[in-house]
Amino acid sequence: MKAKFLRRYSGIRNRGANPKGFHTSQIKFYIVLLPLIFIMLLPIVFIFSNAFKPPDELFAYPPRFFVVHPTLKNFFDLFSKMSTSGIPVSRYLFNSIIVALITICASIVVSSTAAYSLSKKKFKLKKTLFAINTVALMFVPIAVTIPRYLIIEKVGLLDTFLAHILPGLAMPVGMFLIKQFIDGIPDEVIEAAQIDGASDLLIYWRIILPMIVPAIATIGILTFQATWGNTEVSSLYLTDESLKTFAFYLSTLTTAVAGANTVAGQGMAAAASLIMFLPNLIIFIIFQSKVMSTMSHSGLKG
Amino acid sequence: MQNSIAIQQESGIRRWLAKEGTAYGFLAMYALLFIVFIIVPVMLAIFLSFTFFDTIQFPKFFGLKNYIALLTQDDVFMKYVLPNTIKFAVLVGPGGYALSFLLAWVLAQLPRIPRTILALILYSPSMTSGVAMAVVWQALFSGDQTGYLNSFLLGQKIIQEPIQWLQSPHYLMTIMLIVTLWSSMGVGFLAMLAGILEVNPELYEAGALDGINNRFQEIIHITIPSMKPQMLFGAVMAIVSTFQAGAIGVQLSGSNPTPQYAGQLIVNHIEDYGFFRYEMGYAAAISVALLLMVLVFTRLANRLFASED
């Protein structure tokens, strides 16, 4: 108690890692960081600024970085327009939202049940299976696009909504992070529940899930990022235009823009890219402390 | 006699079910999806890489011909794709990783509130998806004088006429590297930041007594050794996202193959052969080569950061 008090008010703890307050020794770090932060931030600011530019500012010469007369015109254009195949843009956005919501929920259930089993249950293959998952951390999905296509075709998922959802559900990183997090829950908690006669399902539902909320939030965010920005599923596995997602629609806008350079197209693409980015940012800001506490369990033993 | 064996077997299965059944029950969904969408595709890629397969006829056994062709006859692969991939991987992989660690370390020296805000800003590029950013990069690096970079450089009289940044074989690779490094502070970065913050402060005090007298020594002798698991996790994430980032050249230039193959990476080469030329067997061989490259790099990271226990 006394040591803590001393540490907090003597100023010693304001030097070195994880300080409690400001100290002059930190100035040099700000000097290093701030210019870099400024550069990193530019493209992000540009997304915001560009989305609200009226057409004459989008094509102004010399080009101006910041918007002068912000307008919502680009957004109205975007949502009043049909794609070339007659699907309203709102339909793509709706698809994206539904796909993201279902995938997040399914991914949380799938990863957390498996993680509970690998962390707290005792069975022979436990170590082997976890080792396989650890190897799969380095799995690069993009490398097996073709065999995946063949499988999705064989399983009959081609041109179905499930093609968006199923392939991404087994996410080795997500399962790994939840498992590491559950490892931090003492076995005694579970043993006590078992003595009281709780079934495994009840233990998972009433004890494990409430204790791993940070890890679940993290997996939710990772899943959201992966599905929200995904264009491959729409372009490779689906031909039915009404099943495709907003990210895919945006990708058709940018390639069309590069060729035709239509005035309305540029503005719509700018508005659409803000819509792509904003949910990621908001969700991350809400859950950032949970993500950080999950990450402190992320260690990987070689 | 037989009957009793059958009963014994049955009770054996039952005992096993009672003991381990629920464990496998909880695993089932994940395991099924893992097998169908990760293990089987990898197996299939390996299998197809030994065949000739044009998606219409049944795969014909082709032996090692695909691999031999890849190593001896594919000029584009040897002249552009492989050197590009190695250059990209070495600069973005270890480069992005070192940058992530250094930034995480610097952030860890700041109090909680500024640290959180700055970490959010550094992390936010990795939240942007390729499609959304294509709009931004195409505007910033646009080839005519209305492009932001061109306009700025023309205004400063650094260049005389606009440069076709994204269509030029000279600049495309550099822009790809900058863009990828810009977005490389991802999950691995957050993990390392958390790791640095978790290092027991008493270790630093003990280190000071043992004669460590500057921050650099502190990083080498205390910080990194006590967060090896996070370092390894960060390294694996860096390797995976490096190879996964392969689509960037095509997104920036808007074409596959990229102008004069300047930004052609192994991932684009797979797509080129698989989806444009329908030489699935050959594309699978390239996929296997890619997976092997990831494996080698991860082994290397493992050597560096494996924990002793």
Side-chain angles (χ1 to χ4, degrees), chain B residues 131-194:
Chain B
V131 256
M133 290 318 287
V135 180
V136 175
W137 303 127
Q138 280 173 7
L140 292 179
F141 296 113
S142 170
D144 52 27
Q145 50 193 353
T146 61
Y148 288 80
L149 186 59
N150 272 335
S151 160
F152 174 76
L153 293 177
L154 285 168
Q156 302 293 312
K157 300 267 188 294
I158 296 171
I159 55 174
Q160 302 308 319
E161 46 193 74
I163 293 174
Q164 294 272 343
W165 298 108
L166 298 176
Q167 303 307 322
S168 138
H170 296 291
Y171 299 110
L172 183 60
M173 184 52 132
T174 314
I175 295 174
M176 284 164 61
L177 289 171
I178 294 171
V179 167
T180 316
L181 278 177
W182 171 75
S183 63
S184 65
M185 260 59 78
V187 175
F189 161 74
L190 294 181
M192 288 192 282
L193 176 56

Coordinates of all heavy atoms in Angstrom, one line a residue, chain B residues 131-194:
Chain B
V131 N -10.2 -2.3 -50.9 CA -11.1 -1.7 -51.8 C -11.3 -0.2 -51.5 O -11.3 0.6 -52.3 CB -12.5 -2.3 -51.9 CG1 -12.6 -3.2 -53.1 CG2 -12.8 -3.1 -50.6
A132 N -11.5 0.1 -50.2 CA -11.8 1.4 -49.8 C -10.6 2.3 -50.1 O -10.7 3.5 -50.5 CB -12.2 1.5 -48.3
M133 N -9.4 1.8 -49.8 CA -8.2 2.6 -50.0 C -7.8 2.8 -51.4 O -7.2 3.8 -51.8 CB -7.0 2.0 -49.2 CG -7.2 2.1 -47.7 SD -7.8 3.7 -47.2 CE -6.4 4.7 -47.4
A134 N -8.3 1.9 -52.3 CA -7.9 2.1 -53.7 C -8.4 3.5 -54.2 O -7.7 4.1 -54.9 CB -8.6 1.0 -54.5
V135 N -9.6 3.9 -53.7 CA -10.1 5.2 -54.1 C -9.1 6.3 -53.6 O -8.8 7.2 -54.4 CB -11.4 5.5 -53.4 CG1 -12.0 6.8 -53.7 CG2 -12.4 4.4 -53.7
V136 N -8.6 6.2 -52.4 CA -7.7 7.2 -51.9 C -6.4 7.2 -52.6 O -6.0 8.3 -53.0 CB -7.5 6.9 -50.4 CG1 -6.5 7.9 -49.8 CG2 -8.8 7.0 -49.6
W137 N -5.8 6.0 -52.8 CA -4.5 6.0 -53.4 C -4.6 6.5 -54.9 O -3.7 7.1 -55.4 CB -3.9 4.6 -53.4 CG -3.7 4.1 -52.0 CD1 -4.2 2.9 -51.5 CD2 -3.1 4.7 -50.9 NE1 -3.9 2.7 -50.2 CE2 -3.2 3.9 -49.8 CE3 -2.5 5.9 -50.7 CZ2 -2.8 4.2 -48.5 CZ3 -2.0 6.3 -49.4 CH2 -2.1 5.4 -48.3
Q138 N -5.7 6.1 -55.5 CA -5.8 6.5 -56.9 C -5.9 8.0 -57.0 O -5.4 8.6 -58.0 CB -7.0 5.8 -57.6 CG -6.7 4.4 -58.0 CD -7.8 3.6 -58.5 OE1 -8.9 4.2 -58.7 NE2 -7.7 2.3 -58.7
A139 N -6.5 8.7 -56.0 CA -6.6 10.1 -56.0 C -5.3 10.7 -55.7 O -4.8 11.7 -56.4 CB -7.7 10.6 -55.1
L140 N -4.6 10.2 -54.7 CA -3.3 10.8 -54.2 C -2.2 10.6 -55.3 O -1.5 11.5 -55.5 CB -2.9 10.1 -52.9 CG -3.7 10.5 -51.7 CD1 -3.1 9.7 -50.5 CD2 -3.7 12.0 -51.4
F141 N -2.2 9.4 -55.9 CA -1.1 9.1 -56.8 C -1.6 9.2 -58.3 O -1.0 8.6 -59.2 CB -0.5 7.8 -56.6 CG 0.1 7.6 -55.3 CD1 -0.4 6.8 -54.3 CD2 1.3 8.3 -55.0 CE1 0.2 6.7 -53.0 CE2 1.9 8.2 -53.8 CZ 1.4 7.4 -52.8
S142 N -2.7 9.9 -58.5 CA -3.2 10.0 -59.9 C -2.2 10.5 -60.9 O -1.4 11.3 -60.6 CB -4.4 10.9 -59.9 OG -4.8 11.2 -61.2
G143 N -2.2 9.9 -62.1 CA -1.2 10.1 -63.1 C -1.2 11.5 -63.7 O -0.2 12.0 -64.2
D144 N -2.3 12.2 -63.7 CA -2.3 13.5 -64.4 C -2.1 14.6 -63.3 O -1.8 14.4 -62.2 CB -3.6 13.8 -65.1 CG -4.8 13.5 -64.2 OD1 -4.7 13.7 -63.0 OD2 -5.9 13.2 -64.7
Q145 N -2.1 15.9 -63.8 CA -1.7 17.0 -62.9 C -2.7 17.2 -61.7 O -2.4 17.9 -60.8 CB -1.5 18.2 -63.7 CG -2.7 18.5 -64.6 CD -2.4 19.6 -65.6 OE1 -1.3 20.2 -65.5 NE2 -3.3 19.9 -66.5
T146 N -3.9 16.6 -61.8 CA -4.9 16.8 -60.7 C -4.6 15.8 -59.5 O -5.2 15.9 -58.5 CB -6.3 16.5 -61.2 OG1 -6.4 15.2 -61.6 CG2 -6.7 17.5 -62.2
G147 N -3.6 14.9 -59.7 CA -3.2 14.0 -58.6 C -2.6 14.8 -57.5 O -1.9 15.8 -57.9
Y148 N -2.8 14.5 -56.3 CA -2.3 15.3 -55.2 C -0.7 15.4 -55.2 O -0.2 16.4 -55.0 CB -2.8 14.8 -53.9 CG -4.3 15.1 -53.7 CD1 -5.2 14.3 -54.3 CD2 -4.7 16.2 -53.0 CE1 -6.6 14.6 -54.2 CE2 -6.0 16.6 -52.9 CZ -7.0 15.8 -53.5 OH -8.3 16.1 -53.4
L149 N -0.1 14.2 -55.4 CA 1.3 14.2 -55.3 C 1.9 14.9 -56.5 O 2.8 15.8 -56.3 CB 1.8 12.7 -55.3 CG 3.3 12.5 -55.1 CD1 3.8 13.1 -53.8 CD2 3.7 11.1 -55.2
N150 N 1.4 14.7 -57.7 CA 1.9 15.4 -58.9 C 1.7 16.9 -58.7 O 2.6 17.7 -59.0 CB 1.1 14.9 -60.1 CG 1.7 13.7 -60.7 OD1 2.9 13.5 -60.6 ND2 1.0 12.9 -61.4
S151 N 0.5 17.3 -58.2 CA 0.2 18.7 -58.1 C 1.2 19.4 -57.1 O 1.7 20.4 -57.3 CB -1.2 18.9 -57.6 OG -1.4 20.1 -57.0
F152 N 1.5 18.7 -56.0 CA 2.4 19.2 -55.0 C 3.8 19.3 -55.6 O 4.4 20.3 -55.4 CB 2.4 18.2 -53.8 CG 3.4 18.6 -52.7 CD1 3.2 19.7 -51.9 CD2 4.6 17.9 -52.6 CE1 4.1 20.0 -50.9 CE2 5.5 18.2 -51.6 CZ 5.3 19.3 -50.8
L153 N 4.3 18.2 -56.2 CA 5.6 18.3 -56.8 C 5.8 19.3 -57.9 O 6.8 19.9 -58.0 CB 6.0 16.9 -57.2 CG 6.2 15.8 -56.1 CD1 6.5 14.4 -56.7 CD2 7.2 16.2 -55.1
L154 N 4.7 19.4 -58.7 CA 4.8 20.4 -59.8 C 4.8 21.8 -59.2 O 5.6 22.7 -59.6 CB 3.5 20.3 -60.7 CG 3.5 19.1 -61.7 CD1 2.1 19.0 -62.3 CD2 4.6 19.3 -62.7
G155 N 4.0 22.0 -58.1 CA 4.0 23.3 -57.5 C 5.3 23.7 -56.9 O 5.7 24.8 -56.9
Q156 N 6.0 22.7 -56.3 CA 7.3 22.9 -55.7 C 8.4 23.0 -56.8 O 9.6 23.0 -56.4 CB 7.6 21.8 -54.7 CG 6.6 21.7 -53.6 CD 6.6 22.9 -52.7 OE1 7.7 23.4 -52.2 NE2 5.4 23.4 -52.4
K157 N 8.1 22.8 -58.0 CA 9.0 22.8 -59.1 C 10.0 21.6 -59.0 O 11.2 21.7 -59.5 CB 9.8 24.1 -59.2 CG 8.9 25.3 -59.5 CD 8.8 25.7 -60.9 CE 8.1 27.0 -61.2 NZ 6.6 27.0 -60.7
I158 N 9.6 20.6 -58.3 CA 10.5 19.4 -58.2 C 10.5 18.6 -59.5 O 11.5 18.0 -59.9 CB 10.2 18.6 -57.0 CG1 10.4 19.4 -55.7 CG2 11.0 17.3 -56.9 CD1 9.9 18.8 -54.5
I159 N 9.3 18.5 -60.1 CA 9.2 17.8 -61.4 C 8.6 18.7 -62.4 O 7.9 19.7 -62.1 CB 8.3 16.5 -61.3 CG1 7.0 16.8 -60.7 CG2 9.0 15.5 -60.4 CD1 6.0 15.7 -60.7
Q160 N 8.9 18.5 -63.7 CA 8.4 19.4 -64.7 C 7.1 19.0 -65.3 O 6.3 19.8 -65.6 CB 9.5 19.4 -65.9 CG 10.8 19.8 -65.5 CD 10.8 21.2 -64.7 OE1 10.1 22.1 -65.0 NE2 11.6 21.3 -63.6
E161 N 6.9 17.6 -65.4 CA 5.6 17.2 -65.9 C 5.1 16.0 -65.0 O 5.9 15.4 -64.4 CB 5.6 16.8 -67.3 CG 6.8 15.9 -67.7 CD 7.0 15.8 -69.2 OE1 7.4 16.8 -69.8 OE2 6.7 14.8 -69.7
P162 N 3.7 15.8 -65.0 CA 3.2 14.8 -64.1 C 3.7 13.4 -64.4 O 4.0 13.1 -65.5 CB 1.7 14.9 -64.4 CG 1.5 15.7 -65.7 CD 2.7 16.6 -65.7
I163 N 3.9 12.6 -63.3 CA 4.4 11.3 -63.4 C 3.2 10.3 -63.3 O 2.3 10.5 -62.4 CB 5.4 11.0 -62.3 CG1 6.7 11.9 -62.6 CG2 5.8 9.6 -62.3 CD1 7.7 11.8 -61.5
Q164 N 3.2 9.3 -64.1 CA 2.2 8.2 -64.0 C 2.6 7.3 -62.9 O 3.0 6.1 -63.2 CB 2.1 7.5 -65.4 CG 1.7 8.3 -66.5 CD 0.2 8.2 -66.7 OE1 -0.5 7.4 -66.1 NE2 -0.4 9.1 -67.4
W165 N 2.4 7.7 -61.7 CA 2.9 6.9 -60.5 C 2.5 5.4 -60.6 O 3.3 4.5 -60.5 CB 2.4 7.5 -59.2 CG 2.9 8.9 -59.0 CD1 2.2 10.0 -59.1 CD2 4.2 9.3 -58.7 NE1 2.9 11.1 -58.8 CE2 4.2 10.7 -58.6 CE3 5.4 8.6 -58.5 CZ2 5.3 11.4 -58.2 CZ3 6.5 9.3 -58.1 CH2 6.5 10.7 -58.0
L166 N 1.2 5.2 -60.7 CA 0.7 3.8 -60.6 C 0.8 3.0 -61.8 O 0.7 1.8 -61.8 CB -0.8 3.9 -60.2 CG -1.0 4.6 -58.8 CD1 -2.5 4.6 -58.5 CD2 -0.3 3.8 -57.7
Q167 N 1.1 3.6 -63.0 CA 1.3 2.9 -64.2 C 2.8 2.7 -64.5 O 3.1 2.0 -65.5 CB 0.6 3.5 -65.4 CG -0.9 3.7 -65.2 CD -1.6 2.5 -64.8 OE1 -1.3 1.4 -65.3 NE2 -2.6 2.6 -63.9
S168 N 3.6 3.3 -63.8 CA 5.0 3.3 -64.1 C 5.7 2.2 -63.4 O 5.6 2.0 -62.2 CB 5.7 4.6 -63.6 OG 6.9 4.4 -63.0
P169 N 6.5 1.4 -64.2 CA 7.2 0.2 -63.6 C 8.3 0.7 -62.6 O 8.7 -0.1 -61.8 CB 7.8 -0.4 -64.8 CG 7.3 0.2 -66.0 CD 6.6 1.4 -65.6
H170 N 8.7 2.0 -62.7 CA 9.7 2.4 -61.8 C 9.2 2.7 -60.4 O 9.8 2.4 -59.4 CB 10.3 3.7 -62.3 CG 11.1 3.6 -63.6 ND1 12.2 2.9 -63.7 CD2 10.7 4.0 -64.8 CE1 12.6 2.8 -65.0 NE2 11.7 3.5 -65.7
Y171 N 7.9 3.2 -60.3 CA 7.5 3.7 -59.0 C 6.5 2.7 -58.4 O 6.2 2.8 -57.2 CB 6.8 5.1 -59.2 CG 7.8 6.1 -59.7 CD1 7.7 6.6 -61.0 CD2 8.8 6.5 -58.8 CE1 8.6 7.6 -61.4 CE2 9.7 7.5 -59.3 CZ 9.6 8.0 -60.6 OH 10.5 8.9 -61.0
L172 N 5.8 1.9 -59.2 CA 4.7 1.1 -58.6 C 5.2 0.3 -57.4 O 4.5 0.3 -56.3 CB 4.2 0.1 -59.7 CG 3.0 -0.7 -59.2 CD1 1.9 0.1 -58.8 CD2 2.6 -1.7 -60.3
M173 N 6.3 -0.4 -57.4 CA 6.8 -1.2 -56.3 C 7.0 -0.4 -55.1 O 6.6 -0.7 -54.0 CB 8.1 -1.9 -56.7 CG 8.6 -2.9 -55.7 SD 7.3 -4.0 -55.1 CE 8.1 -5.6 -55.2
T174 N 7.6 0.8 -55.2 CA 7.9 1.7 -54.1 C 6.6 2.1 -53.4 O 6.5 2.1 -52.2 CB 8.7 2.9 -54.6 OG1 9.7 2.5 -55.4 CG2 9.2 3.7 -53.4
I175 N 5.6 2.5 -54.3 CA 4.3 2.9 -53.7 C 3.6 1.7 -53.0 O 3.1 1.9 -51.9 CB 3.4 3.5 -54.8 CG1 4.1 4.7 -55.4 CG2 2.0 3.7 -54.3 CD1 3.4 5.3 -56.6
M176 N 3.7 0.5 -53.6 CA 3.2 -0.7 -52.9 C 3.8 -0.9 -51.5 O 3.1 -1.2 -50.6 CB 3.5 -1.9 -53.7 CG 2.6 -2.1 -55.0 SD 3.2 -3.3 -56.1 CE 3.2 -4.7 -55.1
L177 N 5.1 -0.7 -51.5 CA 5.8 -0.8 -50.2 C 5.4 0.2 -49.2 O 5.1 -0.1 -48.0 CB 7.3 -0.7 -50.4 CG 8.0 -1.9 -51.1 CD1 9.5 -1.5 -51.4 CD2 7.9 -3.1 -50.3
I178 N 5.3 1.4 -49.6 CA 4.8 2.5 -48.7 C 3.4 2.2 -48.2 O 3.2 2.3 -47.0 CB 4.9 3.9 -49.4 CG1 6.4 4.2 -49.7 CG2 4.3 5.0 -48.5 CD1 6.5 5.5 -50.6
V179 N 2.5 1.9 -49.1 CA 1.1 1.7 -48.7 C 1.0 0.5 -47.8 O 0.3 0.6 -46.8 CB 0.3 1.5 -50.0 CG1 -1.1 0.9 -49.7 CG2 0.2 2.7 -50.8
T180 N 1.8 -0.6 -48.0 CA 1.7 -1.7 -47.2 C 2.3 -1.5 -45.8 O 1.7 -1.9 -44.8 CB 2.3 -2.9 -47.8 OG1 2.0 -3.0 -49.2 CG2 1.9 -4.2 -47.2
L181 N 3.4 -0.8 -45.8 CA 4.0 -0.4 -44.5 C 3.1 0.5 -43.7 O 2.9 0.3 -42.5 CB 5.3 0.3 -44.7 CG 6.5 -0.6 -45.0 CD1 7.8 0.2 -45.2 CD2 6.8 -1.6 -43.8
W182 N 2.4 1.4 -44.4 CA 1.5 2.3 -43.8 C 0.4 1.5 -43.0 O 0.0 1.9 -41.9 CB 0.8 3.2 -44.8 CG -0.3 4.0 -44.4 CD1 -0.2 5.2 -43.6 CD2 -1.7 3.9 -44.6 NE1 -1.4 5.7 -43.4 CE2 -2.4 4.9 -44.0 CE3 -2.4 2.9 -45.3 CZ2 -3.7 5.0 -44.1 CZ3 -3.8 3.0 -45.4 CH2 -4.4 4.1 -44.7
S183 N 0.0 0.4 -43.6 CA -1.1 -0.3 -42.9 C -0.6 -1.6 -42.2 O -1.4 -2.5 -41.9 CB -2.2 -0.8 -44.0 OG -1.6 -1.6 -44.9
S184 N 0.7 -1.6 -41.8 CA 1.2 -2.8 -41.2 C 1.1 -2.9 -39.7 O 1.5 -3.8 -39.1 CB 2.6 -3.1 -41.7 OG 3.4 -2.0 -41.2
M185 N 0.6 -1.8 -39.1 CA 0.5 -1.8 -37.6 C -0.9 -2.5 -37.2 O -1.8 -1.8 -36.8 CB 0.6 -0.4 -37.0 CG 1.9 -0.1 -36.4 SD 3.2 -0.2 -37.6 CE 3.0 1.4 -38.5
G186 N -0.9 -3.8 -37.3 CA -2.1 -4.5 -37.1 C -2.2 -5.2 -35.7 O -1.7 -4.7 -34.7
V187 N -2.8 -6.4 -35.8 CA -3.0 -7.2 -34.6 C -1.6 -7.5 -33.9 O -1.5 -7.4 -32.6 CB -3.7 -8.5 -34.9 CG1 -3.7 -9.4 -33.7 CG2 -5.0 -8.3 -35.5
G188 N -0.6 -7.8 -34.7 CA 0.7 -8.1 -34.1 C 1.3 -6.9 -33.3 O 1.8 -7.0 -32.2
F189 N 1.0 -5.7 -33.8 CA 1.4 -4.4 -33.2 C 0.7 -4.3 -31.8 O 1.4 -4.0 -30.8 CB 1.1 -3.3 -34.1 CG 1.0 -1.9 -33.4 CD1 2.2 -1.3 -33.0 CD2 -0.2 -1.3 -33.2 CE1 2.1 0.0 -32.5 CE2 -0.3 -0.1 -32.7 CZ 0.9 0.6 -32.3
L190 N -0.6 -4.6 -31.8 CA -1.3 -4.5 -30.5 C -0.8 -5.5 -29.5 O -0.7 -5.2 -28.3 CB -2.8 -4.7 -30.8 CG -3.5 -3.6 -31.6 CD1 -5.0 -3.9 -31.7 CD2 -3.3 -2.2 -31.0
A191 N -0.5 -6.7 -30.1 CA 0.0 -7.8 -29.2 C 1.3 -7.4 -28.6 O 1.5 -7.6 -27.4 CB 0.1 -9.1 -30.0
M192 N 2.2 -6.8 -29.4 CA 3.5 -6.4 -28.8 C 3.4 -5.3 -27.8 O 4.1 -5.2 -26.8 CB 4.5 -6.1 -30.0 CG 4.9 -7.4 -30.7 SD 6.3 -7.1 -31.8 CE 5.5 -6.3 -33.2
L193 N 2.5 -4.3 -28.2 CA 2.3 -3.2 -27.2 C 1.8 -3.8 -25.9 O 2.3 -3.4 -24.8 CB 1.2 -2.3 -27.8 CG 0.8 -1.1 -26.9 CD1 2.0 -0.3 -26.5 CD2 -0.2 -0.2 -27.6
A194 N 0.8 -4.7 -25.9 CA 0.3 -5.3 -24.7 C 1.5 -6.1 -24.0 O 1.6 -6.0 -22.8 CB -0.8 -6.3 -25.0

